[in-house]
Amino acid sequence: MSEQKQVKPAQGRRPQAGGKTGSKSRTAGAAKGQASSRSNQAAGQAGARKSSSTRVPRTPRELALDILVSVAGAGAYSNLKLNQSLQDANLSRADAGLATELVYGTIQHQRTLDYWLARFVAKGFNKLQPWVHQLLRMSAYQLLYLDRIPVHAAVNEAVAIAKKRGHQGISGMVNGVLRSMDRSRAELVPSAIKAGSPAEKLAILHSYPDWLVKRWVLAYGEQTTEAICAAGNDSPHGSVRVNPVRGTRAEAIEQLAELGLDAEASPLASAGITIRRGGNLVETAGFREGLWTMQDESSMLVAEVVAPAAGMQVLDCCAAPGGKTTHLAELMGNKGKVWANDLHPHKRQLIIDQSSRLGLTNVEAITSDAAQLSERFASGSMDAVLLDAPCSGFGVIRRKPEIKWTKTAADVAAIADIQRELLEAVSDLVKPGGVLVYSTCTIERSENEEQVERFLQAHPEFELDRNWPEAIVHALQEAGAIDEAFKGYAQLLPQHYGSDGFFIARLLRRA
């Protein structure tokens, strides 16, 4: 049976903190605005209200369905909604894992699922209530992608849910569609996809919107684009950053191994440890005691590229929840000062809590619009400034799969405008001879390379700086992320190390 499946089942998919798309400045509303304009919003919200008000979900599939309806209809973030729902539901670890898999997998593959489902839904998707559409997607995902789930379990549970939420006609339709799909699975293969162009076929096969795939093909070429798309559907592995103030990486690996976790040193980040087939790392004693922090490997590179020294004055302009802030403070040996700014007052506490857990006393969390930091700090007062800018977030699609369905080309342009404004606003805070590091968790060139080149044309007092840590340069060269023409910025793609897509540029202000 498994040879008929399109994709091997994903294992151990767990939400983990990644990019901070739309959460670090005034882009928060714009970043999620497109989702609220979808035509099925009202119906989706109504379905979510009906399901949540009439009963508490009792099975992982019911829980997953409620989350899918909420994400599709009300614009909820999948990771936040899932985490909250799992806390409320009190499912077993196995059931929580299944619910997690169904939510992320269904959202990631929804276009491919719809492409195949369209063969069997005679009246079309427009005639379906939103919850029915999501139920069919979720069930089709189990049939086509999860070998470990028996067909009868996926179909029977879907029919049972349809009977509870709908009527006999809906449950009969769900049963008929899924059993027809099961009988036809041998025909639901990539070679059977009919598309008008290679880009459209990639978009259907890997489940992405046409406009985004075409954009990436123009920027990266067809072969690299397919690798980007495939990597975006992979399950993220866990990773932690060791706190050198409280221990070494070798000691942390040993402690993780004693917990039965498959941990090894990251080949990309010097303080990183990758973990496969692990549990909830936030619940470990090592996390509570501040021995390590949850962070993606790509994100760890940012502070290392800043390379702050003990005693420096450093500003993190868009800091919440504090991952890069605390990494800067650790690299400084808890000496000097890291100013951690964020727009939102409630997020200031996240930075404070994280710094306290790690035993860091050289962090001061403040609240301000990053565009107005020049009103608080004097020109040339910082040895280093980090602008981890709000972005489209296309580098963290594997963690937040709804991004590819809610973002538009207009969103990318709007976010690029804000990035440009923030760069202008904070660059003057860098002292002569100091460093400005610009980073994003996206792979959009208009937000990355083009943004930096535009800034340099307008600011001749800055220049690209190739003085990166040798270990990072070597790792990026090994992955093919940079070559001999390395200028001082790098675009890490999600397929390079199985980590998030990240862009980092190091700029030096001439003395």
Side-chain angles (χ1 to χ4, degrees), residues 40-45 47 65 69 72-73 128-135:
N40 67 347
Q41 178 189 16
Q45 289 174 318
L65 179 58
V69 171
L128 299 178
Q129 296 180 56
W131 73 266
V132 178
H133 191 179
Q134 293 298 332
L135 177 60

Side-chain angles (χ1 to χ4, degrees), residues 25-70:
S25 77
R26 294 159 294 168
T27 59
K32 59 187 287 190
Q34 293 300 318
S36 64
S37 65
R38 297 178 66 174
S39 61
N40 67 347
Q41 178 189 16
Q45 289 174 318
R49 286 194 299 270
K50 176 183 176 182
S51 62
S52 62
S53 63
T54 55
R55 69 188 207 298
V56 175
R58 293 184 297 275
T59 72
R61 289 179 177 86
E62 289 175 321
L63 179 71
L65 179 58
D66 281 343
I67 296 170
L68 290 169
V69 171
S70 183

